[in-house]
Amino acid sequence: MNLILLGAPGAGKGTQAAILARELNIPTISTGNILRAAVASGSELGKQAKACMESGALVSDEIIIGIIRDRLAEPDCAKGYILDGVPRTIRQAEAIEESGIRFDHVVSLEVSDETIMNRMSGRRVCPKCGASYHVVAVPPKKEGVCDVCGAELITRKDDAPETVRSRLEVYHRETEPLKEFYRSRGVLVPVEDMGSVEATSAAILAALKE
Ligand code: AMP
Protein backbone atom coordinates (compact mmCIF):
# COMPACT_ATOMS: atom_id res chain seq x y z
CA MET A 1 0.00 0.00 0.00
CA ASN A 2 1.32 3.45 -0.93
CA LEU A 3 0.05 6.26 1.27
CA ILE A 4 0.63 9.97 1.69
CA LEU A 5 -0.05 11.83 4.93
CA LEU A 6 -0.90 15.40 4.10
CA GLY A 7 -1.46 18.13 6.66
CA ALA A 8 -0.19 21.33 8.18
CA PRO A 9 3.03 21.36 10.22
CA GLY A 10 2.08 20.03 13.65
CA ALA A 11 -1.09 18.30 12.42
CA GLY A 12 0.28 15.01 13.76
CA LYS A 13 1.60 13.47 10.53
CA GLY A 14 4.75 12.05 12.13
CA THR A 15 2.88 10.55 15.08
CA GLN A 16 0.16 9.04 12.91
CA ALA A 17 2.69 7.81 10.34
CA ALA A 18 4.54 5.87 13.07
CA ILE A 19 1.29 4.19 14.17
CA LEU A 20 0.21 3.39 10.61
CA ALA A 21 3.67 2.04 9.77
CA ARG A 22 3.36 -0.43 12.66
CA GLU A 23 -0.23 -1.40 11.77
CA LEU A 24 0.47 -1.83 8.06
CA ASN A 25 4.07 -3.06 8.37
CA ILE A 26 5.48 -0.60 5.84
CA PRO A 27 8.16 2.09 6.30
CA THR A 28 7.56 5.80 6.79
CA ILE A 29 9.56 8.18 4.69
CA SER A 30 9.83 11.65 6.18
CA THR A 31 11.77 14.21 4.16
CA GLY A 32 11.90 16.39 7.30
CA ASN A 33 13.71 13.61 9.21
CA ILE A 34 16.04 12.88 6.27
CA LEU A 35 16.92 16.58 6.02
CA ARG A 36 17.41 17.00 9.79
CA ALA A 37 19.79 14.02 9.78
CA ALA A 38 21.68 15.63 6.87
CA VAL A 39 21.96 18.94 8.74
CA ALA A 40 23.18 17.14 11.88
CA SER A 41 25.83 15.25 9.91
CA GLY A 42 27.02 18.40 8.16
CA SER A 43 26.75 16.79 4.71
CA GLU A 44 26.54 18.83 1.50
CA LEU A 45 22.76 18.25 1.44
CA GLY A 46 22.53 19.42 5.05
CA LYS A 47 24.46 22.59 4.27
CA GLN A 48 22.11 23.38 1.38
CA ALA A 49 18.95 22.75 3.42
CA LYS A 50 19.85 24.30 6.81
CA ALA A 51 18.92 27.97 6.27
CA CYS A 52 15.59 27.17 4.56
CA MET A 53 14.61 24.78 7.33
CA GLU A 54 15.44 27.15 10.15
CA SER A 55 13.38 29.95 8.64
CA GLY A 56 10.41 27.67 7.93
CA ALA A 57 10.75 27.99 4.14
CA LEU A 58 10.60 24.99 1.81
CA VAL A 59 13.75 23.31 0.53
CA SER A 60 13.94 23.36 -3.29
CA ASP A 61 11.80 20.91 -5.24
CA GLU A 62 14.92 19.58 -7.03
CA ILE A 63 16.57 18.56 -3.76
CA ILE A 64 13.39 16.90 -2.47
CA ILE A 65 12.68 15.07 -5.73
CA GLY A 66 16.25 13.68 -5.69
CA ILE A 67 15.90 12.50 -2.07
CA ILE A 68 12.57 10.80 -2.75
CA ARG A 69 13.65 9.07 -5.96
CA ASP A 70 16.67 7.56 -4.16
CA ARG A 71 14.76 6.59 -1.03
CA LEU A 72 11.80 4.95 -2.80
CA ALA A 73 14.21 2.80 -4.82
CA GLU A 74 15.48 1.11 -1.64
CA PRO A 75 14.35 -2.50 -1.07
CA ASP A 76 12.26 -1.84 2.06
CA CYS A 77 9.89 0.27 -0.06
CA ALA A 78 8.96 -2.62 -2.34
CA LYS A 79 5.82 -3.56 -0.38
CA GLY A 80 4.64 0.01 0.04
CA TYR A 81 5.35 3.08 2.18
CA ILE A 82 3.91 6.08 3.92
CA LEU A 83 5.13 9.50 2.82
CA ASP A 84 5.16 12.03 5.68
CA GLY A 85 5.71 15.67 4.75
CA VAL A 86 6.20 15.02 1.06
CA PRO A 87 5.03 16.01 -1.53
CA ARG A 88 4.66 19.58 -0.33
CA THR A 89 4.22 21.35 -3.68
CA ILE A 90 2.37 20.58 -6.90
CA ARG A 91 5.76 20.32 -8.65
CA GLN A 92 6.88 17.56 -6.22
CA ALA A 93 3.56 15.71 -6.67
CA GLU A 94 3.90 15.90 -10.46
CA ALA A 95 7.50 14.66 -10.35
CA ILE A 96 6.52 11.68 -8.20
CA GLU A 97 3.62 10.92 -10.54
CA GLU A 98 5.93 11.24 -13.57
CA SER A 99 8.11 8.48 -12.03
CA GLY A 100 5.09 6.18 -12.45
CA ILE A 101 4.25 6.10 -8.73
CA ARG A 102 0.58 5.97 -7.76
CA PHE A 103 -1.03 6.22 -4.32
CA ASP A 104 -3.84 4.14 -2.89
CA HIS A 105 -4.89 6.85 -0.43
CA VAL A 106 -3.83 10.39 0.41
CA VAL A 107 -4.92 11.05 4.00
CA SER A 108 -5.40 14.74 4.70
CA LEU A 109 -5.29 15.47 8.45
CA GLU A 110 -7.60 18.41 9.08
CA VAL A 111 -6.55 20.56 12.03
CA SER A 112 -7.27 24.28 12.55
CA ASP A 113 -4.38 26.78 12.59
CA GLU A 114 -5.39 27.80 16.10
CA THR A 115 -5.05 24.24 17.42
CA ILE A 116 -1.67 23.94 15.70
CA MET A 117 -0.34 27.16 17.24
CA ASN A 118 -1.37 25.85 20.68
CA ARG A 119 0.15 22.43 20.11
CA MET A 120 3.54 23.32 18.69
CA SER A 121 4.90 24.78 21.91
CA GLY A 122 4.70 21.32 23.52
CA ARG A 123 6.34 19.35 20.75
CA ARG A 124 9.64 17.59 21.47
CA VAL A 125 11.63 15.50 19.00
CA CYS A 126 14.48 13.04 19.15
CA PRO A 127 17.50 14.46 17.27
CA LYS A 128 18.85 10.92 16.79
CA CYS A 129 15.96 8.74 15.52
CA GLY A 130 13.32 11.39 14.65
CA ALA A 131 10.60 10.10 17.03
CA SER A 132 8.23 12.87 18.08
CA TYR A 133 6.50 13.55 21.39
CA HIS A 134 4.29 16.13 23.05
CA VAL A 135 4.73 17.12 26.69
CA VAL A 136 0.99 16.63 27.36
CA ALA A 137 -0.52 14.55 24.53
CA VAL A 138 2.32 12.07 23.85
CA PRO A 139 4.83 12.28 26.70
CA PRO A 140 7.90 10.02 26.67
CA LYS A 141 8.06 7.40 29.47
CA LYS A 142 10.97 9.30 31.07
CA GLU A 143 10.78 13.09 30.82
CA GLY A 144 13.11 14.50 28.17
CA VAL A 145 14.36 11.09 26.97
CA CYS A 146 13.46 9.25 23.75
CA ASP A 147 11.56 5.96 24.38
CA VAL A 148 12.99 4.47 21.19
CA CYS A 149 16.72 5.20 21.40
CA GLY A 150 17.38 6.91 24.75
CA ALA A 151 18.69 10.20 23.28
CA GLU A 152 17.87 13.52 24.93
CA LEU A 153 14.78 15.17 23.39
CA ILE A 154 14.98 18.68 21.95
CA THR A 155 12.61 21.44 20.82
CA ARG A 156 12.92 22.03 17.08
CA LYS A 157 14.20 25.52 16.25
CA ASP A 158 11.48 25.85 13.65
CA ASP A 159 8.78 25.26 16.29
CA ALA A 160 9.21 28.83 17.60
CA PRO A 161 5.80 30.62 17.31
CA GLU A 162 6.89 33.15 14.61
CA THR A 163 8.36 30.33 12.51
CA VAL A 164 5.25 28.17 12.96
CA ARG A 165 3.13 31.10 11.72
CA SER A 166 5.17 31.38 8.53
CA ARG A 167 5.23 27.59 8.06
CA LEU A 168 1.41 27.64 8.24
CA GLU A 169 1.34 30.36 5.56
CA VAL A 170 3.65 28.25 3.39
CA TYR A 171 1.39 25.24 3.99
CA HIS A 172 -1.78 27.07 2.89
CA ARG A 173 -0.09 28.57 -0.17
CA GLU A 174 2.08 25.71 -1.44
CA THR A 175 0.80 22.45 0.04
CA GLU A 176 -2.96 22.79 0.49
CA PRO A 177 -3.54 22.86 -3.32
CA LEU A 178 -2.39 19.21 -3.26
CA LYS A 179 -5.77 18.29 -1.79
CA GLU A 180 -7.45 19.27 -5.06
CA PHE A 181 -4.67 17.51 -7.04
CA TYR A 182 -5.34 14.20 -5.28
CA ARG A 183 -9.12 14.71 -4.99
CA SER A 184 -9.25 14.91 -8.79
CA ARG A 185 -7.42 11.56 -8.91
CA GLY A 186 -10.03 10.02 -6.59
CA VAL A 187 -7.62 9.16 -3.74
CA LEU A 188 -8.11 11.98 -1.20
CA VAL A 189 -9.32 10.87 2.25
CA PRO A 190 -9.93 13.87 4.55
CA VAL A 191 -9.81 12.91 8.25
CA GLU A 192 -10.75 15.35 11.02
CA ASP A 193 -8.48 15.54 14.04
CA MET A 194 -10.36 13.71 16.81
CA GLY A 195 -8.66 15.41 19.76
CA SER A 196 -6.47 12.47 20.80
CA VAL A 197 -3.77 10.48 19.00
CA GLU A 198 -5.61 7.16 19.48
CA ALA A 199 -8.99 8.47 18.28
CA THR A 200 -7.41 10.07 15.21
CA SER A 201 -5.50 6.91 14.25
CA ALA A 202 -8.71 4.88 14.67
CA ALA A 203 -10.48 7.35 12.35
CA ILE A 204 -7.68 7.06 9.76
CA LEU A 205 -7.68 3.25 9.84
CA ALA A 206 -11.49 3.19 9.54
CA ALA A 207 -11.36 5.62 6.59
CA LEU A 208 -8.71 3.47 4.83
CA LYS A 209 -10.98 0.43 5.06
CA GLU A 210 -13.98 2.18 3.46
P1 AMP B 1 8.85 18.65 8.57
O1 AMP B 1 9.59 17.86 9.59
O2 AMP B 1 8.11 17.77 7.61
O3 AMP B 1 7.96 19.71 9.18
O4 AMP B 1 9.96 19.44 7.70
C1 AMP B 1 10.83 20.39 8.30
C2 AMP B 1 11.39 21.33 7.24
O5 AMP B 1 12.12 20.55 6.27
C3 AMP B 1 10.34 22.08 6.43
O6 AMP B 1 9.89 23.27 7.08
C4 AMP B 1 11.13 22.37 5.15
O7 AMP B 1 12.07 23.40 5.34
C5 AMP B 1 11.91 21.07 4.95
N1 AMP B 1 11.13 20.07 4.18
C6 AMP B 1 10.72 18.83 4.60
N2 AMP B 1 10.04 18.18 3.65
C7 AMP B 1 10.00 19.02 2.58
C8 AMP B 1 9.42 18.94 1.29
N3 AMP B 1 8.75 17.86 0.87
N4 AMP B 1 9.59 20.01 0.47
C9 AMP B 1 10.28 21.10 0.84
N5 AMP B 1 10.83 21.25 2.05
C10 AMP B 1 10.70 20.23 2.92
Side-chain angles (χ1 to χ4, degrees):
M1 173 149 10
N2 293 348
L3 295 180
I4 298 175
L5 277 183
L6 211 67
K13 298 186 297 295
T15 304
Q16 295 300 336
I19 294 169
L20 286 176
R22 266 199 310 276
E23 289 283 332
L24 303 171
N25 198 25
I26 49 179
T28 295
I29 291 137
S30 154
T31 40
N33 284 351
I34 293 171
L35 291 167
R36 274 184 291 279
V39 171
S41 77
S43 68
E44 197 45 48
L45 169 64
K47 283 182 199 145
Q48 287 173 29
K50 193 167 188 270
C52 284
M53 293 178 74
E54 284 180 357
S55 69
L58 293 183
V59 170
S60 82
D61 288 333
E62 284 58 43
I63 289 181
I64 298 293
I65 291 164
I67 292 175
I68 278 298
R69 287 226 170 101
D70 290 350
R71 183 62 188 90
L72 296 186
E74 287 181 29
D76 65 327
C77 290
K79 280 190 305 172
Y81 40 80
I82 301 166
L83 297 188
D84 159 15
V86 66
R88 250 181 158 101
T89 64
I90 294 281
R91 173 77 198 100
Q92 292 175 19
E94 284 171 349
I96 293 170
E97 194 171 82
E98 281 157 18
S99 321
I101 294 168
R102 297 291 179 271
F103 293 92
D104 300 290
H105 306 283
V106 176
V107 174
S108 166
L109 282 176
E110 305 291 337
V111 189
S112 73
D113 286 7
E114 198 191 342
T115 304
I116 293 199
M117 289 302 299
N118 290 333
R119 265 189 202 171
M120 294 299 254
S121 59
R123 176 150 82 169
R124 300 291 179 273
V125 296
C126 174
K128 210 166 148 207
C129 75
S132 77
Y133 300 88
H134 187 278
V135 288
V136 179
V138 195
K141 291 196 183 89
K142 184 168 176 233
E143 197 185 322
V145 177
C146 179
D147 292 347
V148 182
C149 72
E152 196 175 325
L153 301 179
I154 57 162
T155 302
R156 278 170 49 172
K157 272 195 192 150
D158 61 349
D159 280 350
E162 323 75 70
T163 317
V164 172
R165 224 166 273 124
S166 65
R167 289 166 67 203
L168 281 169
E169 272 169 36
V170 171
Y171 169 74
H172 291 302
R173 192 177 63 238
E174 303 283 345
T175 309
E176 218 169 12
L178 288 176
K179 288 198 219 168
E180 202 41 57
F181 183 92
Y182 289 114
R183 187 179 289 123
S184 71
R185 283 150 177 79
V187 290
L188 189 78
V189 183
V191 176
E192 290 294 329
D193 181 78
M194 305 302 283
S196 79
V197 171
E198 296 74 20
T200 303
S201 46
I204 295 174
L205 285 165
L208 293 182
K209 282 184 191 134
E210 269 170 21

